[in-house]
Amino acid sequence: MPDDPALERDQGRSSTEIELINGGADQRVVDSAYPGARRALQTRQVGLSLSNDDWKAGIYSPTGVRTLRAFNAVSGTTVAGWFKRSMDGPALNTVTPAPDDRFNAIGLAGVLTGDSDGHAVRALLELIDVQGTLRLVALGRRLDGGASQTFAASADWQTLLPKDQWVHLAATFDFNTATMALYRNGVPVEGFYTVAGDPWQVAGPGPHVTTATDPRGIKIGGSFPQNTVERNPCDCRMDALMFLDRSLTAREVANQYRFMKTRG
């Protein structure tokens, strides 16, 4: 945005404003994720103190973000974008006293719930510890305050997201049928659900949608976009992030990847 170099405006229908937190304009770096791209967003852990200085991005409002109303009582969501990670694993944990303690996840991008403290999400792409193994996952929550479900990739996370290489990732969430999917460079990723039973509570009559509340925001490269706490920072670069109010089909994800890969 021309009047504030620390703000971005969504190029989609919502015109949602995204803040570049702590780094401001310096978080825009020259790097081409795909042909025709010029700059990317840089996020990273900055210090090992409680000063909340990590570079991340997002928006937060305790009363809900009006421009994100499309995710209010929605039956599906997609989170996608280009990502380049530059870290070998989760960052050192800056909110615990143990000097060698590490976070259990690396946050990529997600949409918050309508009652979120800045961490809880409706739809999220991230790397997280699953039964002792770090995995690329789609994590979703249909109901505010309800249980989440995780769809975890079977393949090694470092193979799916090689260090210092651009990769297009997408996660789709169908809240009506309680199904999720992951895609890498337009191709479906094999995986498994980590929670048994019916965590999204869709066993009864449908259609099933998310809670009828506006999300409290978007988090990118870490949690708490209101910048009150640091958690799961990502030493990463990102570009062309997309938050859509429906679950894309496999063909649509593949077409989106091909379009961006050849647009130059």
Side-chain angles (χ1 to χ4, degrees):
M1 296 183 64
D3 56 339
D4 190 339
L7 287 180
E8 299 274 349
R9 176 176 287 157
D10 171 33
Q11 296 180 2
R13 292 179 299 175
S14 78
S15 296
T16 300
E17 294 180 4
I18 298 293
E19 181 183 358
L20 307 186
I21 301 166
N22 293 316
D26 289 341
Q27 292 181 240
R28 297 187 188 94
V29 296
V30 177
D31 199 348
S32 295
Y34 52 88
R38 294 175 295 175
R39 293 189 178 183
L41 168 69
Q42 175 73 59
T43 63
R44 62 184 176 89
Q45 185 176 66
V46 174
L48 300 179
S49 66
L50 298 177
S51 58
N52 296 324
D53 53 4
D54 288 353
W55 285 11
K56 52 191 173 182
I59 184 173
Y60 183 85
S61 171
T63 58
V65 178
R66 181 186 57 81
T67 58
L68 298 178
R69 188 150 295 172
F71 300 98
N72 178 318
V74 72
S75 62
T77 297
T78 298
V79 178
W82 292 85
F83 301 89
K84 181 164 75 169
R85 60 107 181 169
S86 297
M87 56 200 309
D88 297 318
L92 287 169
N93 192 330
T94 57
V95 296
T96 59
D100 57 349
D101 188 24
R102 292 185 177 271
F103 292 106
N104 74 333
I106 301 171
L108 297 178
V111 179
L112 302 179
T113 60
D115 61 350
S116 179
D117 60 352
H119 182 67
V121 290
R122 281 189 182 155
L124 173 70
L125 256 174
E126 74 172 348
L127 298 154
I128 192 171
D129 185 295
V130 177
Q131 300 172 357
T133 300
L134 197 68
R135 295 187 184 277
L136 174 67
V137 308
L139 188 151
R141 180 179 285 101
R142 186 175 76 86
L143 301 175
D144 287 359
S148 65
Q149 175 63 285
T150 300
F151 181 78
S154 300
D156 180 79
W157 72 278
Q158 296 180 79
T159 300
L160 295 172
L161 200 58
K163 189 175 182 180
D164 296 325
Q165 293 185 32
W166 282 106
V167 175
H168 186 266
L169 299 176
T172 61
F173 305 79
D174 188 324
F175 296 108
N176 187 46
T177 62
T179 56
M180 292 184 284
L182 285 168
Y183 299 86
R184 178 187 185 274
N185 289 346
V187 178
V189 175
E190 292 186 2
F192 57 94
Y193 293 98
T194 67
V195 181
D198 183 23
W200 285 358
Q201 300 181 35
V202 298
H208 303 287
V209 297
T210 61
T211 301
T213 54
D214 296 342
R216 286 189 175 181
I218 287 174
K219 64 178 185 178
I220 300 168
S223 289
F224 302 99
Q226 68 271 45
N227 206 29
T228 56
V229 186
E230 295 177 346
R231 187 177 300 176
N232 304 334
C234 184
D235 187 352
C236 303
R237 292 183 177 183
M238 310 178 190
D239 200 1
L241 298 179
M242 301 178 71
F243 305 90
L244 307 178
D245 60 346
R246 66 185 182 91
S247 178
L248 295 186
T249 66
R251 175 172 291 183
E252 288 173 322
V253 173
N255 286 343
Q256 179 64 29
Y257 169 71
R258 284 195 293 266
F259 167 73
M260 300 191 74
K261 190 67 175 176
T262 60
R263 63 183 296 173

